[in-house]
Amino acid sequence: QVQLQQWGAGLLKPSETLSLSCAVYGGSFSGYYWSWIRQPPGKGLEWIAEINHRGSTNYNPSLESRVTISVDTSKNQFSLNLTSVTAADTAVYYCARAQWVVSAPPFDYWGQGTLVTVSS
Amino acid sequence: DLQMTQSPSAMSASVGDRVTITCRASQGIDNYLAWFQQKPGKVPKRLIYAASSLQSGVPSRFSGSGSGTEFTLTISSLQPEDFATYYCLQHHSYPRTFGQGTKVEIK
């Protein structure tokens, strides 16, 4: 059974950098893309970025200038950094599994979510 | 970017009702569409993929249809546990984009 376990700081001040990590247990780490998705309170879902075990990445252009996604294959983990956060970045952040090709159905497994609040 | 537009944004329905939610893509996406259910405070759950394929373990009262730019999610007989928000997602091209969601509430 595949499980995604995520963690990271939950309270940030404006201009700080958001850092989250997600560990994958069970199943294969290679052969998939590993994604980050966020959801502001009371709002919809927004895909942020994804990475595979080789370090190949895809980004949402709306966030690309502030986002860095990285992978540690030795630990089956991947991480998200989002720089210069503002209140608009307050959201629940999820990690999730996607397939190797964009056309294959994604997000069959999700992390538990981490609420990140940006407030001075 | 591909825009996904759901309708309605919210609806009220009774247990036993047939419920239909529509998702329209700003350009053709073949059948590369998934539907997710999210209950308050919970992680989204995939219900349907490839427009009409039912995820394992999902009740058969859920069904999906459509191709190209117009898609529907149908709940044939709404159950109490189905009150939730539903999102469509296109997996045709990057960036991956979700619809804005449809909240199904109890009438």
Side-chain angles (χ1 to χ4, degrees), chain A residues 21-92:
Chain A
S21 293
C22 182
V24 179
Y25 300 100
S28 172
F29 189 72
S30 60
Y32 295 96
Y33 271 89
W34 302 97
S35 288
W36 290 100
I37 296 159
R38 72 179 182 178
Q39 184 173 37
K43 296 188 177 180
L45 298 160
E46 179 181 33
W47 174 77
I48 301 170
E50 65 188 26
I51 191 167
N52 67 16
H53 71 287
R54 297 174 182 171
S56 295
T57 56
N58 295 296
Y59 291 97
N60 190 327
S62 67
L63 294 165
E64 184 171 9
S65 63
R66 297 194 291 131
V67 169
T68 302
I69 188 170
S70 59
V71 66
D72 184 343
T73 55
S74 69
K75 297 180 180 179
N76 284 4
Q77 292 178 6
F78 61 106
S79 299
L80 172 73
N81 276 7
L82 178 66
T83 61
S84 305
V85 297
T86 69
D89 296 310
T90 293
V92 175

Side-chain angles (χ1 to χ4, degrees), chain A residues 33 35 37 39 43-47 50 58-61 94 98-99 102-108 110-112, chain B residues 1 32 34 36 38 41-46 49-50 55 87 89-100:
Chain A
Y33 271 89
S35 288
I37 296 159
Q39 184 173 37
K43 296 188 177 180
L45 298 160
E46 179 181 33
W47 174 77
E50 65 188 26
N58 295 296
Y59 291 97
N60 190 327
Y94 295 100
Q99 301 297 322
V102 65
S103 56
F107 311 149
D108 51 350
W110 295 65
Q112 77 274 21
Chain B
D1 298 356
Y32 299 127
F36 292 82
Q38 187 179 33
K42 300 297 185 182
V43 175
K45 173 187 174 183
R46 195 171 74 187
Y49 62 93
Q55 185 73 31
Y87 295 93
L89 165 75
Q90 65 84 13
H91 53 94
H92 175 272
S93 57
Y94 291 109
R96 304 182 190 273
T97 44
F98 291 89
Q100 80 278 17

Side-chain angles (χ1 to χ4, degrees), chain B:
Chain B
D1 298 356
L2 268 166
Q3 304 299 318
M4 307 301 293
T5 304
Q6 287 181 234
S7 60
S9 296
M11 62 182 299
S12 296
S14 300
V15 173
D17 283 353
R18 181 181 182 87
V19 168
T20 299
I21 299 168
T22 298
C23 180
R24 289 186 173 87
S26 59
Q27 62 191 70
I29 59 170
D30 298 320
N31 69 334
Y32 299 127
L33 185 105
W35 289 98
F36 292 82
Q37 176 194 63
Q38 187 179 33
K39 297 180 181 179
K42 300 297 185 182
V43 175
K45 173 187 174 183
R46 195 171 74 187
L47 302 176
I48 301 282
Y49 62 93
S52 60
S53 296
L54 193 66
Q55 185 73 31
S56 175
V58 173
S60 59
R61 62 181 179 273
F62 290 93
S63 64
S65 64
S67 183
T69 61
E70 187 155 336
F71 302 86
T72 59
L73 173 70
T74 299
I75 309 172
S76 59
S77 178
L78 196 67
Q79 298 302 300
E81 60 268 31
D82 301 336
F83 291 96
T85 300
Y86 295 85
Y87 295 93
C88 61
L89 165 75
Q90 65 84 13
H91 53 94
H92 175 272
S93 57
Y94 291 109
R96 304 182 190 273
T97 44
F98 291 89
Q100 80 278 17
T102 296
K103 187 174 184 178
V104 178
E105 298 176 302
I106 301 173
K107 183 182 285 184

Side-chain angles (χ1 to χ4, degrees), chain A residues 95-117:
Chain A
C95 55
R97 189 177 81 168
Q99 301 297 322
W100 192 255
V101 293
V102 65
S103 56
F107 311 149
D108 51 350
Y109 292 98
W110 295 65
Q112 77 274 21
T114 300
L115 175 61
V116 177
T117 302

